[in-house]
Amino acid sequence: GTKLPAHLPENIRIVKLLEEGNPSRMVAKDVGCSQSAVSKIWTKYKQHGMVVKAKRTGRPRKTSKRQDKQLKAICLENRKSTTKQMKHKWEEVGVNVCDRTVRNRLKEMGFQYRKAKRKPALTPKHKRTRLQWAKERQSWTVDDWMKVVFSDESRICIGQGDDAGTFVWCHVSLLEHTCHKVL
């Protein structure tokens, strides 16, 4: 028989392999399930004329895809938020879940809670150029300063940096740039 792609749902692969005339023992081995499972899926297929999706077992999912997207937006709004803070924000839009569910959904979406990278400290060269800039403008009047537009509001850390104990939610695609793995 032909080799079917592994990404096809198991029950569809079973039906296609059986339709090709493969023995159920070989189909079970190829798909990785029992012969009785193959037999049940084949029987349902013959009864209904189509592959019937099995009912999900276990606890029903507490959140919808739309609600999960809301959580993602809440997380990206402030990546320093704790799960408890995000849970309260999510409650404001009508989703009542526990902290653990918030953490599970974020992990499903590819987020990890990691230590933030520190902002770079000022180097001796930075300090010298800043001091020189300040000395050149030391005698400026209020009128001189009124003509200045400050457009850059970058954060800097003098000394060791102030992000030492900060944790952030990082998407796996951004890990190298913004987060450290905590070992």
Side-chain angles (χ1 to χ4, degrees), residues 120-138:
L122 288 178
T123 65
K125 185 182 179 213
H126 291 141
K127 291 176 184 177
R128 279 194 308 275
T129 55
R130 283 172 176 249
L131 181 61
Q132 180 188 342
W133 184 90
K135 284 180 176 176
E136 288 169 4
R137 290 157 185 78
Q138 191 173 7

PDB file of all heavy atoms in Angstrom, residues 120-138:
ATOM      1  N   PRO A 120      21.280  47.673  29.746  1.00  0.00           N
ATOM      2  CA  PRO A 120      22.732  47.864  29.845  1.00  0.00           C
ATOM      3  C   PRO A 120      23.090  49.038  30.752  1.00  0.00           C
ATOM      4  O   PRO A 120      22.455  50.083  30.711  1.00  0.00           O
ATOM      5  CB  PRO A 120      23.162  48.137  28.407  1.00  0.00           C
ATOM      6  CG  PRO A 120      21.924  48.569  27.699  1.00  0.00           C
ATOM      7  CD  PRO A 120      20.773  47.933  28.417  1.00  0.00           C
ATOM      8  N   ALA A 121      24.105  48.844  31.566  1.00  0.00           N
ATOM      9  CA  ALA A 121      24.587  49.907  32.447  1.00  0.00           C
ATOM     10  C   ALA A 121      25.407  50.884  31.603  1.00  0.00           C
ATOM     11  O   ALA A 121      25.903  50.539  30.540  1.00  0.00           O
ATOM     12  CB  ALA A 121      25.445  49.313  33.558  1.00  0.00           C
ATOM     13  N   LEU A 122      25.544  52.114  32.100  1.00  0.00           N
ATOM     14  CA  LEU A 122      26.341  53.111  31.386  1.00  0.00           C
ATOM     15  C   LEU A 122      27.817  52.736  31.447  1.00  0.00           C
ATOM     16  O   LEU A 122      28.343  52.397  32.506  1.00  0.00           O
ATOM     17  CB  LEU A 122      26.158  54.495  32.010  1.00  0.00           C
ATOM     18  CG  LEU A 122      24.812  55.177  31.787  1.00  0.00           C
ATOM     19  CD1 LEU A 122      24.787  56.522  32.513  1.00  0.00           C
ATOM     20  CD2 LEU A 122      24.540  55.388  30.319  1.00  0.00           C
ATOM     21  N   THR A 123      28.467  52.844  30.300  1.00  0.00           N
ATOM     22  CA  THR A 123      29.907  52.584  30.258  1.00  0.00           C
ATOM     23  C   THR A 123      30.638  53.871  30.652  1.00  0.00           C
ATOM     24  O   THR A 123      30.043  54.960  30.628  1.00  0.00           O
ATOM     25  CB  THR A 123      30.346  52.184  28.832  1.00  0.00           C
ATOM     26  OG1 THR A 123      30.130  53.299  27.963  1.00  0.00           O
ATOM     27  CG2 THR A 123      29.590  50.966  28.339  1.00  0.00           C
ATOM     28  N   PRO A 124      31.921  53.785  30.985  1.00  0.00           N
ATOM     29  CA  PRO A 124      32.676  55.017  31.295  1.00  0.00           C
ATOM     30  C   PRO A 124      32.616  56.040  30.157  1.00  0.00           C
ATOM     31  O   PRO A 124      32.513  57.237  30.396  1.00  0.00           O
ATOM     32  CB  PRO A 124      34.104  54.507  31.502  1.00  0.00           C
ATOM     33  CG  PRO A 124      33.922  53.098  31.982  1.00  0.00           C
ATOM     34  CD  PRO A 124      32.722  52.591  31.232  1.00  0.00           C
ATOM     35  N   LYS A 125      32.611  55.561  28.901  1.00  0.00           N
ATOM     36  CA  LYS A 125      32.532  56.482  27.756  1.00  0.00           C
ATOM     37  C   LYS A 125      31.190  57.205  27.741  1.00  0.00           C
ATOM     38  O   LYS A 125      31.117  58.419  27.503  1.00  0.00           O
ATOM     39  CB  LYS A 125      32.741  55.724  26.445  1.00  0.00           C
ATOM     40  CG  LYS A 125      32.776  56.657  25.245  1.00  0.00           C
ATOM     41  CD  LYS A 125      32.923  55.929  23.935  1.00  0.00           C
ATOM     42  CE  LYS A 125      32.930  56.968  22.826  1.00  0.00           C
ATOM     43  NZ  LYS A 125      32.342  56.515  21.617  1.00  0.00           N
ATOM     44  N   HIS A 126      30.087  56.453  27.991  1.00  0.00           N
ATOM     45  CA  HIS A 126      28.758  57.083  28.059  1.00  0.00           C
ATOM     46  C   HIS A 126      28.751  58.181  29.119  1.00  0.00           C
ATOM     47  O   HIS A 126      28.235  59.277  28.905  1.00  0.00           O
ATOM     48  CB  HIS A 126      27.678  56.050  28.435  1.00  0.00           C
ATOM     49  CG  HIS A 126      27.385  55.037  27.393  1.00  0.00           C
ATOM     50  ND1 HIS A 126      27.145  53.727  27.702  1.00  0.00           N
ATOM     51  CD2 HIS A 126      27.289  55.121  26.041  1.00  0.00           C
ATOM     52  CE1 HIS A 126      26.896  53.047  26.601  1.00  0.00           C
ATOM     53  NE2 HIS A 126      26.986  53.866  25.573  1.00  0.00           N
ATOM     54  N   LYS A 127      29.311  57.870  30.286  1.00  0.00           N
ATOM     55  CA  LYS A 127      29.321  58.830  31.397  1.00  0.00           C
ATOM     56  C   LYS A 127      30.088  60.089  31.027  1.00  0.00           C
ATOM     57  O   LYS A 127      29.654  61.210  31.317  1.00  0.00           O
ATOM     58  CB  LYS A 127      29.900  58.177  32.651  1.00  0.00           C
ATOM     59  CG  LYS A 127      28.998  57.093  33.235  1.00  0.00           C
ATOM     60  CD  LYS A 127      29.653  56.400  34.418  1.00  0.00           C
ATOM     61  CE  LYS A 127      28.790  55.268  34.935  1.00  0.00           C
ATOM     62  NZ  LYS A 127      29.404  54.528  36.025  1.00  0.00           N
ATOM     63  N   ARG A 128      31.249  59.920  30.361  1.00  0.00           N
ATOM     64  CA  ARG A 128      32.069  61.084  29.953  1.00  0.00           C
ATOM     65  C   ARG A 128      31.316  61.962  28.970  1.00  0.00           C
ATOM     66  O   ARG A 128      31.293  63.186  29.109  1.00  0.00           O
ATOM     67  CB  ARG A 128      33.390  60.613  29.323  1.00  0.00           C
ATOM     68  CG  ARG A 128      34.460  60.234  30.321  1.00  0.00           C
ATOM     69  CD  ARG A 128      35.843  60.096  29.663  1.00  0.00           C
ATOM     70  NE  ARG A 128      35.868  59.210  28.502  1.00  0.00           N
ATOM     71  CZ  ARG A 128      36.011  57.894  28.563  1.00  0.00           C
ATOM     72  NH1 ARG A 128      36.152  57.295  29.728  1.00  0.00           N
ATOM     73  NH2 ARG A 128      36.018  57.177  27.453  1.00  0.00           N
ATOM     74  N   THR A 129      30.691  61.345  27.948  1.00  0.00           N
ATOM     75  CA  THR A 129      29.989  62.152  26.936  1.00  0.00           C
ATOM     76  C   THR A 129      28.770  62.849  27.532  1.00  0.00           C
ATOM     77  O   THR A 129      28.470  63.994  27.175  1.00  0.00           O
ATOM     78  CB  THR A 129      29.571  61.306  25.712  1.00  0.00           C
ATOM     79  OG1 THR A 129      28.800  60.197  26.141  1.00  0.00           O
ATOM     80  CG2 THR A 129      30.773  60.826  24.924  1.00  0.00           C
ATOM     81  N   ARG A 130      28.090  62.199  28.460  1.00  0.00           N
ATOM     82  CA  ARG A 130      26.951  62.844  29.123  1.00  0.00           C
ATOM     83  C   ARG A 130      27.398  64.024  29.984  1.00  0.00           C
ATOM     84  O   ARG A 130      26.743  65.065  29.998  1.00  0.00           O
ATOM     85  CB  ARG A 130      26.185  61.829  29.989  1.00  0.00           C
ATOM     86  CG  ARG A 130      25.312  60.920  29.165  1.00  0.00           C
ATOM     87  CD  ARG A 130      24.721  59.805  29.994  1.00  0.00           C
ATOM     88  NE  ARG A 130      23.820  59.026  29.163  1.00  0.00           N
ATOM     89  CZ  ARG A 130      22.513  58.993  29.293  1.00  0.00           C
ATOM     90  NH1 ARG A 130      21.931  59.662  30.258  1.00  0.00           N
ATOM     91  NH2 ARG A 130      21.779  58.288  28.476  1.00  0.00           N
ATOM     92  N   LEU A 131      28.501  63.845  30.698  1.00  0.00           N
ATOM     93  CA  LEU A 131      29.026  64.920  31.544  1.00  0.00           C
ATOM     94  C   LEU A 131      29.447  66.105  30.677  1.00  0.00           C
ATOM     95  O   LEU A 131      29.137  67.259  30.993  1.00  0.00           O
ATOM     96  CB  LEU A 131      30.206  64.411  32.378  1.00  0.00           C
ATOM     97  CG  LEU A 131      30.835  65.428  33.341  1.00  0.00           C
ATOM     98  CD1 LEU A 131      29.811  65.913  34.369  1.00  0.00           C
ATOM     99  CD2 LEU A 131      32.037  64.806  34.040  1.00  0.00           C
ATOM    100  N   GLN A 132      30.113  65.806  29.545  1.00  0.00           N
ATOM    101  CA  GLN A 132      30.543  66.867  28.626  1.00  0.00           C
ATOM    102  C   GLN A 132      29.334  67.629  28.096  1.00  0.00           C
ATOM    103  O   GLN A 132      29.318  68.860  28.066  1.00  0.00           O
ATOM    104  CB  GLN A 132      31.341  66.248  27.473  1.00  0.00           C
ATOM    105  CG  GLN A 132      31.829  67.270  26.457  1.00  0.00           C
ATOM    106  CD  GLN A 132      32.448  66.614  25.230  1.00  0.00           C
ATOM    107  OE1 GLN A 132      32.824  65.452  25.257  1.00  0.00           O
ATOM    108  NE2 GLN A 132      32.529  67.367  24.148  1.00  0.00           N
ATOM    109  N   TRP A 133      28.281  66.882  27.697  1.00  0.00           N
ATOM    110  CA  TRP A 133      27.058  67.492  27.182  1.00  0.00           C
ATOM    111  C   TRP A 133      26.440  68.410  28.237  1.00  0.00           C
ATOM    112  O   TRP A 133      26.033  69.536  27.939  1.00  0.00           O
ATOM    113  CB  TRP A 133      26.082  66.371  26.793  1.00  0.00           C
ATOM    114  CG  TRP A 133      24.808  66.836  26.145  1.00  0.00           C
ATOM    115  CD1 TRP A 133      24.589  67.007  24.823  1.00  0.00           C
ATOM    116  CD2 TRP A 133      23.585  67.184  26.812  1.00  0.00           C
ATOM    117  NE1 TRP A 133      23.310  67.440  24.611  1.00  0.00           N
ATOM    118  CE2 TRP A 133      22.664  67.563  25.814  1.00  0.00           C
ATOM    119  CE3 TRP A 133      23.177  67.225  28.135  1.00  0.00           C
ATOM    120  CZ2 TRP A 133      21.379  67.971  26.096  1.00  0.00           C
ATOM    121  CZ3 TRP A 133      21.884  67.634  28.418  1.00  0.00           C
ATOM    122  CH2 TRP A 133      20.989  67.997  27.406  1.00  0.00           C
ATOM    123  N   ALA A 134      26.402  67.961  29.498  1.00  0.00           N
ATOM    124  CA  ALA A 134      25.803  68.757  30.581  1.00  0.00           C
ATOM    125  C   ALA A 134      26.627  70.009  30.866  1.00  0.00           C
ATOM    126  O   ALA A 134      26.070  71.096  31.086  1.00  0.00           O
ATOM    127  CB  ALA A 134      25.691  67.903  31.835  1.00  0.00           C
ATOM    128  N   LYS A 135      27.967  69.873  30.854  1.00  0.00           N
ATOM    129  CA  LYS A 135      28.837  71.031  31.125  1.00  0.00           C
ATOM    130  C   LYS A 135      28.683  72.103  30.049  1.00  0.00           C
ATOM    131  O   LYS A 135      28.700  73.300  30.354  1.00  0.00           O
ATOM    132  CB  LYS A 135      30.305  70.599  31.225  1.00  0.00           C
ATOM    133  CG  LYS A 135      30.622  69.921  32.550  1.00  0.00           C
ATOM    134  CD  LYS A 135      32.084  69.513  32.620  1.00  0.00           C
ATOM    135  CE  LYS A 135      32.407  68.925  33.987  1.00  0.00           C
ATOM    136  NZ  LYS A 135      33.784  68.438  34.072  1.00  0.00           N
ATOM    137  N   GLU A 136      28.525  71.663  28.785  1.00  0.00           N
ATOM    138  CA  GLU A 136      28.348  72.616  27.685  1.00  0.00           C
ATOM    139  C   GLU A 136      27.053  73.420  27.832  1.00  0.00           C
ATOM    140  O   GLU A 136      26.949  74.532  27.342  1.00  0.00           O
ATOM    141  CB  GLU A 136      28.328  71.871  26.340  1.00  0.00           C
ATOM    142  CG  GLU A 136      29.676  71.339  25.911  1.00  0.00           C
ATOM    143  CD  GLU A 136      29.591  70.385  24.715  1.00  0.00           C
ATOM    144  OE1 GLU A 136      28.485  70.189  24.163  1.00  0.00           O
ATOM    145  OE2 GLU A 136      30.645  69.824  24.354  1.00  0.00           O
ATOM    146  N   ARG A 137      26.068  72.859  28.520  1.00  0.00           N
ATOM    147  CA  ARG A 137      24.767  73.521  28.663  1.00  0.00           C
ATOM    148  C   ARG A 137      24.516  74.030  30.082  1.00  0.00           C
ATOM    149  O   ARG A 137      23.418  74.423  30.419  1.00  0.00           O
ATOM    150  CB  ARG A 137      23.659  72.543  28.242  1.00  0.00           C
ATOM    151  CG  ARG A 137      23.669  72.292  26.743  1.00  0.00           C
ATOM    152  CD  ARG A 137      23.027  70.989  26.356  1.00  0.00           C
ATOM    153  NE  ARG A 137      23.163  70.715  24.926  1.00  0.00           N
ATOM    154  CZ  ARG A 137      24.258  70.255  24.342  1.00  0.00           C
ATOM    155  NH1 ARG A 137      25.336  69.992  25.064  1.00  0.00           N
ATOM    156  NH2 ARG A 137      24.304  70.055  23.036  1.00  0.00           N
ATOM    157  N   GLN A 138      25.560  74.043  30.887  1.00  0.00           N
ATOM    158  CA  GLN A 138      25.444  74.414  32.302  1.00  0.00           C
ATOM    159  C   GLN A 138      24.931  75.843  32.499  1.00  0.00           C
ATOM    160  O   GLN A 138      24.178  76.127  33.419  1.00  0.00           O
ATOM    161  CB  GLN A 138      26.820  74.254  32.958  1.00  0.00           C
ATOM    162  CG  GLN A 138      26.817  74.343  34.452  1.00  0.00           C
ATOM    163  CD  GLN A 138      28.196  73.991  35.035  1.00  0.00           C
ATOM    164  OE1 GLN A 138      29.152  73.812  34.304  1.00  0.00           O
ATOM    165  NE2 GLN A 138      28.261  73.900  36.337  1.00  0.00           N
TER     166      GLN A 138
END
